[in-house]
Amino acid sequence: MASGDIRLYNTRTRSKEVFEPLEPGRVGIYSCGPTVYSPQHIGNLRASFFADLLRRSLEIDGLVVTQVINVTDVGHLTDDADDGEDKMERAAAASGRRANEIAAQYTQQWLDDRQRLNIAEPDVLCRATEHIAEQIAMVQRLEEKGYTYQIADGVYFDTARFAGYSDFAHLDLEMQRGGARVAPAAGKRQPADFALWKSSPSDSKRQQEWDSPWGRGFPGWHIECSAMSVRYLGKRFDIHTGGVEHVRVHHTNEIAQSECALDVHPWVSVWMHEDWIIFEGEKMSKSLGNIAVLQDLVDEGFLPLAYRFFLLQAHYRKQQNFNGDAMAAADRGYRRLLALAAGLRGAEGTCDQARMAPFADRFAAARRDDLNAPQALAVALEVARSGDLEAAEKRDLLLDFDRWLGLDLVVADPPVAATESDPEIDAQVARREQARREKDWAEADRIRDELAALGIEIVDTPDGARWRRR
């Protein structure tokens, strides 16, 4: 591939392609955001992190990005195929709280966690409940074109009218019936047909419901994303991101309703999907209860950005195993990198661009090759430890790399906790401290000299001894 090419894996074509924006110099991205009925766990945050890597990479290459992320605060049912209870309504009933209060709480938690992971704010953050008119208008357009039918349960999209319905996810529509987690709504023509507008129950009142041409009700989950993306990015746009779990149902349905309503194909040029965080052999999910939130990691003593460092160690299209040992290793690795980088802040001297160029080229090639974070991170670690580069050259390279990595390397005021850690060296330093307390100066000097021979410098401070690599 050419050195300047950006190659992205497109789920629609099942291949890596050279990326060409619809409008030269500009990119529109829509990312499926959280359903805010409960805390957003660290598995959910992988989606935000991946979309952030994408945006950063495009902007580094000089493209102007408009990123839109939605917040689902109504309409996402317990079965993704449009059956079951509304997750927001169920959370409200279980807690005795208002659905909008729950949504506000967990939206803010998600925004705060994004900030702690250095994930940039989107240009547009759109909430489903604030775009009901756009959703009704899109359903009306589909109705006018003959793609819908109405049953007691609501208004449905007739998938038989869209010949390409199964193409995106390579679906076997006959098998889909057996995959439903709950019984489908009575009157559906095909199992794959999906709700555009759901009717409110006649025997109870929902907290979130609106008047519509089809009666009192609420929008289907899928129509929310179509209507909001079109509202802010137009009839066609460049990239749509989300989790692999969205391919078979949510994104397949988005494509069907959008291409039929707008008379466009393809509606989105590139579809990109991140894989799951795996914990104890299973997908991390709220339904399984095997989740952790970012604050849990902080409470265990890990730096928030150590979780970003952890995520950088795996490609976004690969499943990533999470456990305490893996997180502890990531935290140690991140602290070590911060300690190395912090020592470069005041470096002086002339930088040899010819010596730096191979590292910069390898990093950029990894970044442009479908966001290959593990390879790019390996280059950054190589630079930090290199004995062939001057300190100023390391600093400048790490500053440049950090525009994409987002790890706060070589910053003016690194976190107090950003000290290097190594169990064996820590133990040696502790033994030296004990020898000093016992006034065994010979033993203390012996340990100091032994560590110095390994390139380890001990710094005595009022708060105790610290060490760093020279």
Side-chain angles (χ1 to χ4, degrees):
M1 88 181 162
S3 60
D5 284 345
I6 301 169
R7 294 180 66 85
L8 303 175
Y9 185 86
N10 189 351
T11 304
R12 184 170 62 85
T13 62
R14 301 299 195 274
S15 64
K16 276 197 286 190
E17 304 170 350
V18 175
F19 175 66
E20 296 288 347
L22 293 169
E23 180 183 349
R26 293 186 170 275
V27 182
I29 302 174
Y30 184 87
S31 298
C32 280
T35 301
V36 287
Y37 67 99
S38 66
Q40 297 302 297
H41 57 72
I42 58 174
N44 300 140
L45 288 172
R46 194 186 196 196
S48 295
F49 161 77
F50 148 61
D52 184 62
L53 281 188
L54 173 63
R55 175 177 184 158
R56 284 172 179 255
S57 187
L58 296 171
E59 290 182 334
I60 287 170
D61 281 328
L63 296 166
V64 177
V65 176
T66 300
Q67 184 185 35
V68 180
I69 302 180
N70 76 294
V71 171
T72 299
D73 53 0
V74 68
H76 190 170
L77 305 189
T78 50
D79 182 85
D80 287 350
D82 301 302
D83 297 299
E85 299 177 78
D86 185 319
K87 294 181 179 183
M88 293 302 309
E89 293 282 333
R90 186 170 69 170
S95 65
R97 300 172 62 197
R98 301 295 302 172
N100 59 353
E101 294 173 356
I102 296 171
Q105 175 186 348
Y106 294 126
T107 298
Q108 191 59 53
Q109 176 243 327
W110 172 70
L111 291 171
D112 291 343
D113 285 351
R114 284 170 56 92
Q115 187 175 44
R116 292 201 284 182
L117 292 180
N118 277 350
I119 296 171
E121 291 303 304
D123 299 284
V124 178
L125 182 65
C126 47
R127 294 167 173 80
T129 53
E130 297 174 357
H131 295 79
I132 300 300
E134 290 90 341
Q135 294 162 56
I136 289 174
M138 183 168 270
V139 177
Q140 286 180 305
R141 174 176 280 188
L142 288 166
E143 185 178 54
E144 292 166 1
K145 291 174 175 287
Y147 289 106
T148 72
Y149 61 91
Q150 187 170 3
I151 58 178
D153 182 62
V155 180
Y156 280 76
F157 183 92
D158 188 347
T159 55
R161 297 292 313 280
F162 181 51
Y165 180 77
S166 63
D167 294 349
F168 181 68
H170 299 179
L171 294 175
D172 182 338
L173 297 180
E174 291 304 314
M175 291 291 292
Q176 205 173 67
R177 183 190 302 271
R181 286 183 281 175
V182 296
K188 284 177 64 171
R189 295 175 181 174
Q190 291 85 216
D193 292 355
F194 56 91
L196 299 166
W197 185 263
K198 296 282 282 186
S199 300
S200 293
S202 58
D203 57 350
S204 62
K205 181 175 176 57
R206 289 171 48 92
Q207 287 192 24
Q208 300 185 106
E209 57 182 8
W210 296 265
D211 290 326
S212 80
W214 314 282
R216 193 83 171 156
F218 60 99
W221 175 36
H222 318 297
I223 200 69
E224 296 174 2
C225 285
S226 288
M228 289 189 288
S229 61
V230 170
R231 164 70 175 79
Y232 294 105
L233 296 173
K235 290 177 62 174
R236 291 194 64 202
F237 58 94
D238 297 289
I239 304 173
H240 196 312
T241 74
V244 291
E245 67 275 14
H246 293 333
V247 173
R248 293 180 57 82
V249 178
H250 184 45
H251 289 169
T252 287
N253 292 348
E254 278 191 64
I255 290 169
Q257 65 199 10
S258 300
E259 296 197 354
C260 290
L262 304 172
D263 294 319
V264 295
H265 179 77
W267 169 51
V268 174
S269 299
V270 179
W271 289 82
M272 301 180 69
H273 295 89
E274 86 281 349
D275 213 322
W276 298 333
I277 294 292
I278 302 298
F279 181 72
E280 302 293 344
E282 295 184 287
K283 174 193 174 187
M284 185 174 286
S285 71
K286 296 165 190 170
S287 60
L288 294 174
N290 59 348
I291 66 170
V293 298
L294 187 60
Q295 186 59 44
D296 291 334
L297 304 186
V298 173
D299 291 343
E300 291 182 30
F302 300 126
L303 297 174
L305 284 178
Y307 184 61
R308 186 176 178 108
F309 185 88
F310 168 80
L311 292 173
L312 285 165
Q313 295 175 317
H315 193 275
Y316 76 90
R317 285 194 288 113
K318 302 293 185 181
Q319 292 184 354
Q320 187 170 15
N321 291 309
F322 177 89
N323 55 47
D325 290 341
M327 187 62 221
D331 189 71
R332 288 194 301 271
Y334 177 55
R335 290 174 187 268
R336 186 173 299 120
L337 179 58
L338 278 183
L340 292 170
L344 304 172
R345 289 200 308 272
E348 298 178 354
T350 302
C351 295
D352 185 338
Q353 297 301 321
R355 190 159 49 213
M356 297 164 64
F359 296 98
D361 290 345
R362 285 165 51 207
F363 185 91
R367 174 178 60 76
R368 291 178 178 134
D369 184 18
D370 195 34
L371 313 177
N372 196 324
Q375 283 190 11
L377 182 61
V379 175
L381 293 171
E382 183 181 348
V383 165
R385 297 165 179 160
S386 174
D388 299 324
L389 291 167
E390 298 296 329
E393 293 167 346
K394 294 182 185 182
R395 177 201 58 209
D396 286 2
L397 282 168
L398 290 178
L399 280 171
D400 181 59
F401 295 170
D402 205 43
R403 292 189 297 153
W404 193 56
L405 298 175
L407 293 172
D408 281 352
L409 302 180
V410 201
V411 294
D413 297 305
V416 174
T419 57
E420 189 162 8
S421 177
D422 182 288
E424 293 184 7
I425 299 174
D426 291 342
Q428 286 277 71
V429 172
R431 284 194 288 272
R432 177 178 176 271
E433 287 288 277
Q434 181 63 31
R436 283 163 57 86
R437 284 193 294 271
E438 295 173 355
K439 301 187 185 304
D440 187 350
W441 307 118
E443 176 65 7
D445 289 346
R446 185 195 67 77
I447 294 172
R448 180 198 62 201
D449 294 342
E450 185 178 296
L451 291 174
L454 298 174
I456 305 300
E457 179 183 6
I458 295 180
V459 180
D460 293 312
T461 76
D463 297 321
R466 301 288 185 267
W467 63 268
R468 63 189 179 199
R469 299 184 191 274
R470 282 193 305 221

